[in-house]
Amino acid sequence: MSSVLNLPLRSRLILLAVAAALITGAVTSAAAYFLVRGSEFAAADQRLGAAARLHSAKLRATLDLIRADAASIAAMPAVPGIIRSSTSADGTDAQERSDFALWQRRLETIFAAILSTRPAYTQLRYIGIADNWKELVRVNQSAEGPTAVRGDALQSKAAEPYLQHPDFLAAGRTLFSQVTYNREQGRRDGPPTLRFVQPVFDAQGQLFGVVVINADFAELLRSAGFDPTEGNRVHVLTDSGDHMSFGADAAPATLQFHEDAGWAPSPFAAAVASGAGRTDLARVAGSAVRSASIVASRAEAPLTLNLLVETPLTAIHAAARAALLRTAVVSAVLVLLVWVVAQSVAARLPIARLAAALRDAGSAVGFDLTSLPDDETREVALAFSRMSNDLLCQTLRAGAVFESVPDGVVTIDADGRIESANPAMTQLFGYSEAELIGAPVGMLMPDAIAARHPGFVDGATELSGRQVMAANRDIRGRRKDGSLVPLEISVSRFHFGGANHFVGVLRDITERREAEAETAALVAALRRSNEELDKYAFVASHDLKAPLRVIDNVSSWLEEDLEPVLTDDSRDSLAMLRNRVRRMERLLDDLLIHSRIGRTEERAVRISGTELAETLRDLVDLPPAMELEISPQFSGIEIPNMPITTILLNLVNNAIKHHDRPDGRIMLDVNETVGGYEFTVTDDGPGIPLRYHARIFEMFQTLRPRDEVDGSGLGLAIVRKHAEVAGGRIEVASDGVRGTRFTLFWPHDPAPALPTGRAA
C-alpha cells in the first residue's frame, strides 16, 4: 500500500481508473455467472422433476403388472384344482376327475408360459400352508428355459420373511417382500430378488396357501425402461437404504445390501430420509437430484421404493461457466481500453505546472498564479491559497485564546517536559516563560507527587489517541518561592506529530477553599445552635412540665382536703388554677413541636387522598351540629401522610374552635397545580379582618381573649412553619364579616429537614 502511495499522482490516477474498470468487470462477470447458473438450475429442476415423475410412473406400472399376473394365476382353474385334490381322501378332484399330480403338471405349464413372456421373472411358486409352508409347484427361469422342480427338491418355506405375516395374508392382502439375494443361487452371486405374495383361499374361505412371483429386481427395472436419459442417472433405493443405479457410467444393475460385508450407506440415503429433492432440486455428492417414493406394499413392514434422478452439477453449470468466460474476455478488453484512455487523459493534466507554481510561492500568504491555465488547475491553486490564509488566521486566533485564558494552560511532551505555557501559568507559579519551557513539569509539584509523576507519564504514553487523564482534580502546586497553592487541574492526552502529548489546565482555588472553610464554620455554628435549641426543647418538655404537674396535683389535694370549708369563689379559683396549668402544658407541647419543625425528619408513607380524607374524619372532634365536607378531588391524589395530615387537622380544628355558632359547615378541597397541590379549608364562621391576616400566623397570637378560647396561639404558626420548611406557602382570605378560606400550596417534592445534632 505504501509503495502505491509513493507513486506519482499521474500514475495513481491511471491505476485508479484501471482498478475501477477491473472491479466493474468482476462484478459484471459474477452477476452474469450467477444469473445464468440460476436459470440453468431452475431448468434442470424442471427436467429432473419430469424424469422422476416419468420413471416413478413406469415403476408403478411394472409393480401393478406383477400384481395382475399373481391375481390371474390365483384365479386359474389349476389353483383350486390342487386345493380340491390335495384335500380329498383319495387325492382326486371330485369335480374334474383329475388327481393332484395332473393339476401340478397343468400349473407347471401355466408357470412356464408366463416365465417365457416375462424375462424379469426368475421363479413362480405355489406354496401351501400345510407341511410347514411346503412348495406344491415351482418353476425356475434358467438358461435352457423354464424348468419345473419336483419331488424332494420342493422345499418348506416357513422361515422366509415374506411368510411371517399369516394374519395379514389371511385377510386377503398382498405384499411385496424386501429385495434380497436369491438364496437358491447363493447369497453373493444370485440376482437381487423382489418377491410378490398373493394369498389363495379354499372353498370355505380359509387360507390354503400363496402364489409367489420372484423377479430379478435389476432386470425388472430395465424392463420398466430405466435407461440413461439425457446424461442422467436413475437410482432406486429401498426403505432400508440399499440402492441400485442405472446410467452411462454406473455399474450395471449393481445392488448393495446391508447383509453384504462391503456395504456402505449410499450418499443418497440421507437425502431420501430427510425428504430432500422431493419438491425441489437437492445437491447430493456433487450432483443435483429429484426424488419420488413408491409404497409397494402395506404390510406390517411395508416395502417402500425411493426413486432418484441425478445429473452432475458440472453439466448444469457448464452454461454458466461459458457465460463467465465470455464476460471475462469482454472485461479484459474494457480494462485495456480504460488503461489507454487514462494514459492519454493523464498526459494532458497540468499537474507538474501546478506543483511548480506552489513551490515557487513558498510560504507567502498571497502569491501569483498567472502562469497557470485558466481551468481547474487555477481553481485548485486559489483554493489552496485561501486554505493557507484560513489556517494562518486560525493559528493566530488559537494563539490569542491561549494567551488570554485566565487559567494556567501548559503542554507537556512524552518525557514530562514543558513545551508551552500561557501568561496565566507564569503568573500563577512565578516563573518566566523561558524558565518553564523545557523544564520538567515535576518542579511545579510537591516532592511526593513529583516522585510519582514520571510513572504516570510512562503509563499514559503506552496508549494512543485523545483521552482525558484527569478531570477537575484538586491538588497542590509549588510556586517558585516554595509556597504551595491549591489547584483544580484537568489533564488530557492528545496525539500529534507521531507522539503523545499532554495538556493541563490549572485553576487557583484559594478563594474557593477559603469560602468552603467559612461555609464549614457556618454549618458547624448552625449545628451547635440546633443542639442548643434541642437542649432548650428538652428542658421545656420535661423540666418545666414537672412543677406544673406538682401544682395540678397539689390543687386537687387541697380541694379534696378542704372540701367542707371551701366557698364557691375558692372552688372557682382552684379550677382556674388547674386550667392555667393545662394551658401552660399545651403551650410547652406546641413550643416543642414548633421548634422541631424542619430539624427532624418525620416518618411518612405515601397514601391516597381517600385515605387522607378518612384519617381526617377520624381525628376531628366534630360537634353534632357541625358538618365537614371533603371534596371528591381528594380521591385523585397520592401524597406522604406527614406532615400534611397535621397541617390540615390544625386548620380544621382551628375553624371549629373559633366558630361562633353551634352549627356550621367546613369544606376541604384540593387541586393539582404546576409543581404541587393546592389545598383549601373554608368555613362559614366569623370572618377575620384584613388587618389581622398577617398577625394570625405569628406565635402566641389569638383574636379573642385566652379565657374565651382554649389554645396556645401556636396552631397557625405551626402550620406556616411546616409550609415554609417544605417550600410551600399558606394564605388566608376573608372579608372580616362571615367566612374564612385558608389556601395551602404543598410542593410535590418537599424540601428535606436541615441537619441537627440530636433529636430532643
Side-chain angles (χ1 to χ4, degrees), residues 712-734:
S712 63
L714 287 172
L716 292 179
I718 290 174
V719 168
R720 184 176 67 174
K721 189 172 183 180
H722 270 304
E724 291 176 347
V725 167
R729 63 181 181 276
I730 180 76
E731 299 174 351
V732 61
S734 176

Side-chain angles (χ1 to χ4, degrees), residues 69-82 103 106-107 110-111 113-114:
D69 286 346
S72 298
I73 293 172
M76 288 183 179
V79 173
I82 291 176
W103 282 122
R106 292 177 180 174
L107 190 54
I110 295 171
F111 281 178
I114 294 175

Side-chain angles (χ1 to χ4, degrees), residues 399-582:
V401 171
F402 183 74
E403 295 290 329
S404 61
V405 170
D407 295 333
V409 181
V410 61
T411 60
I412 309 165
D413 63 16
D415 296 326
R417 294 190 173 275
I418 299 174
E419 294 178 318
S420 64
N422 69 339
M425 192 74 182
T426 61
Q427 183 179 359
L428 179 61
F429 285 93
Y431 290 99
S432 67
E433 184 179 1
E435 290 174 318
L436 289 175
I437 303 301
V441 72
M443 75 177 189
L444 305 179
M445 307 174 185
D447 294 339
I449 300 178
R452 299 196 303 270
H453 188 263
F456 299 151
V457 174
D458 293 341
T461 53
E462 295 178 1
L463 305 174
S464 62
R466 180 185 179 277
Q467 183 174 348
V468 177
M469 307 302 298
N472 300 328
R473 289 180 53 192
D474 290 352
I475 63 171
R476 290 189 302 167
R478 183 173 62 186
R479 291 192 174 101
K480 183 177 180 179
D481 59 6
S483 62
L484 299 179
V485 55
L487 301 171
E488 180 183 84
I489 182 171
S490 176
V491 181
S492 301
R493 187 186 68 246
F494 63 96
H495 197 74
F496 175 74
N500 282 322
H501 302 263
F502 304 89
V503 59
V505 179
L506 299 88
R507 175 174 295 175
D508 186 352
I509 57 172
T510 302
E511 294 182 359
R512 184 199 300 175
R513 288 289 178 85
E514 292 174 353
E516 290 174 352
E518 292 179 2
T519 301
L522 290 174
V523 171
L526 178 62
R527 184 174 286 110
R528 288 193 301 271
S529 176
N530 285 340
E531 290 176 355
E532 293 174 357
L533 187 59
D534 287 343
K535 291 178 181 178
Y536 165 74
F538 181 80
V539 170
S541 177
H542 296 84
D543 297 351
L544 294 181
K545 281 187 177 182
L548 293 177
R549 286 192 292 270
V550 170
I551 294 173
D552 184 58
N553 292 335
V554 169
S555 64
S556 298
W557 297 338
L558 286 173
E559 187 175 11
E560 292 176 0
D561 294 341
L562 301 176
E563 174 63 27
V565 297
L566 285 178
T567 64
D568 292 338
D569 291 339
S570 299
R571 290 188 182 89
D572 291 341
S573 298
L574 288 173
M576 182 181 298
L577 176 64
R578 286 195 295 273
N579 181 267
R580 295 297 187 273
V581 168
R582 286 192 293 273

